[in-house]
Amino acid sequence: MADCEIAVVGAGAAGLSLAHRLCAPEPGWGPVPSVTLVDAPPGPARPPERTWCYWEAAGGEFDEALSAVWDTLRVRAPDGTPVVGSPAPLRYKMLRSTSFETLVAARLDAEPQVRRLTAHVDEVRDAGDGAEVRGTTPEGRPVTLRARWVFDSRPLRELPPARTRLLQHFRGWHLTTEQPVFDARVADLMDFRTPQPARGLSFAYVLPLTSRQALVEYTEFSAAPLGEREYERALHDYARRHLGVGRFTVTRAEQGVIPMTDARFPRRAGRSVFRIGTAGGATRPSTGYTFAAVQRQSRAVAAACRQGRDPRPPPAHSARSLAMDAVLLRALDTGRVAGAPFFTGLFRHVPMARLLRFLDGGTRWTEDIGIGLRTPVRPMLRTALELPWLPRRAHPEAGRGNAGRSGPEGPNGETPR
């Protein structure tokens, strides 16, 4: 007999979101199943503190835990020319992982059908008519958990084969300045006044909390991460030269790597074992945003579990969205398209709310065509015709990214940033 009906491995964004939705009071979903959430002990296996960003209308279910909200967004071209717009009725939201964990933990603690287990997970496998999670407690005691269904959110050891693989890698400072510097009403999604790599792109990402406090990140889309000194140098240069920051204090830093790839992520790892979150393909390949897709995916899985249906996670992004992302990634990787003009042009010519819906996969195909015509058509078309003939290759060294944002849930994820 199973120890529980459902085991969720990993208590990051994907694991916590699924556990939360499995016990949410939803009419017509049936009774709450018995759920065990398995979290790693403090240490390298546990996700570090990070920032997730996403866009949605006001009144979201996690609004009480938000650190900040912006109704005005800005992108800066390499020459500093700003593109400013409102995403209304959407809002850009910032959620700290600690605040999210506190909110969800309180909800889980109030549900008698949910229990939490702290253990290093060594193996997840099918067993009989269910699955087993094998691991070790912090005290060194072996533990085996049996469940009808297991949802595994741990990072993959190796990425699936892909035609294109870039990395979105970044380092961010939570800084406080002595003098007022920031406009807390405006978030900078992409500031391209940073040195651009030969292939890919770089930008700064600025989320002001007050006139003297902000999260400032340096981000690159390129083949390999930088060393910490290089990130620090880039952040210092940007803060001094472009933000006009004088004396400041860095209260906390965060750093991460998000795979940007056209790999196909299998969502089923066994008869009764599924992958969720980034491991299940929730990260949007062209942006790195993850958090919103995790919410869609976890809601669909929870509904299936409680309605007695096959709970295989649905695709986090449509086939059309993934096909367009594959073209963009290849065009950036080959250097056929320069990233800074590409994204600046999109934000300049496409209404902000429509573009954000596009980045979230929420536009109609007719809207997608209109947006596509705002891109460099010839190199994008050449890339689209080339892709079907390219082989998919393994990139084992890129398997264990730290998705620190959900977002660019990432730029930014969701995601994350």
Side-chain angles (χ1 to χ4, degrees), residues 183-198:
D183 182 351
R185 300 168 299 176
V186 182
D188 285 287
L189 289 186
M190 292 178 161
D191 187 339
F192 291 110
R193 294 177 295 175
T194 52
Q196 297 298 311

Side-chain angles (χ1 to χ4, degrees), residues 357-375:
R357 285 193 296 107
F358 170 76
L359 295 177
D360 213 22
T363 46
R364 301 182 299 272
W365 68 269
T366 52
E367 293 176 299
D368 293 346
I369 291 175
I371 292 172
L373 293 175
R374 297 295 188 179
T375 67

Side-chain angles (χ1 to χ4, degrees), residues 191-272:
D191 187 339
F192 291 110
R193 294 177 295 175
T194 52
Q196 297 298 311
R199 292 186 177 180
L201 68 149
S202 74
F203 59 89
Y205 177 60
V206 183
L207 301 180
L209 304 178
T210 69
S211 62
R212 296 177 53 244
Q213 294 178 311
L215 168 60
V216 180
E217 289 188 358
Y218 174 79
T219 300
E220 278 194 15
F221 296 2
S222 59
L226 305 178
E228 185 173 322
R229 287 186 178 181
E230 295 171 283
Y231 291 119
E232 292 285 299
R233 189 180 306 117
L235 282 165
H236 268 287
D237 181 71
Y238 178 77
R240 303 287 191 193
R241 182 180 302 181
H242 298 299
L243 296 182
V245 172
R247 300 184 65 179
F248 63 90
T249 301
V250 177
T251 58
R252 183 163 44 85
E254 57 186 62
Q255 187 167 323
V257 180
I258 303 172
M260 305 179 70
T261 170
D262 65 353
R264 297 166 179 162
F265 289 83
R267 301 182 303 283
R268 190 163 213 147
R271 292 189 310 275
S272 298

Side-chain angles (χ1 to χ4, degrees), residues 15-30:
L16 283 172
S17 297
L18 178 56
H20 157 66
R21 293 187 185 282
L22 282 167
C23 62
E26 294 284 351
W29 275 22

Side-chain angles (χ1 to χ4, degrees), residues 331-385:
L332 290 173
D333 192 37
T334 58
R336 291 174 190 152
V337 167
F342 177 89
F343 282 103
T344 303
L346 282 181
F347 278 94
R348 179 174 289 131
H349 297 297
V350 180
M352 187 79 70
R354 184 185 305 168
L355 185 55
L356 293 187
R357 285 193 296 107
F358 170 76
L359 295 177
D360 213 22
T363 46
R364 301 182 299 272
W365 68 269
T366 52
E367 293 176 299
D368 293 346
I369 291 175
I371 292 172
L373 293 175
R374 297 295 188 179
T375 67
V377 175
R378 288 187 178 181
M380 296 292 278
L381 180 59
R382 175 187 172 187
T383 303
L385 295 174

Side-chain angles (χ1 to χ4, degrees), residues 6-25 29 32-38 62 100 104-105 107-109 111 113-116 151 153 276 294-295 297-299 301-302 305-306:
I6 297 170
V8 180
V9 178
L16 283 172
S17 297
L18 178 56
H20 157 66
R21 293 187 185 282
L22 282 167
C23 62
W29 275 22
V32 174
S34 58
V35 179
T36 300
L37 176 63
V38 185
F62 305 122
F100 176 74
V104 173
R107 296 177 180 178
L108 297 182
D109 289 345
E111 176 50 61
Q113 287 288 84
V114 177
R115 69 167 174 149
R116 303 190 69 162
F151 296 90
S153 67
I276 57 174
V294 161
Q295 302 312 312
Q297 198 176 59
S298 61
R299 180 179 176 83
V301 168
C305 286
R306 289 173 56 178

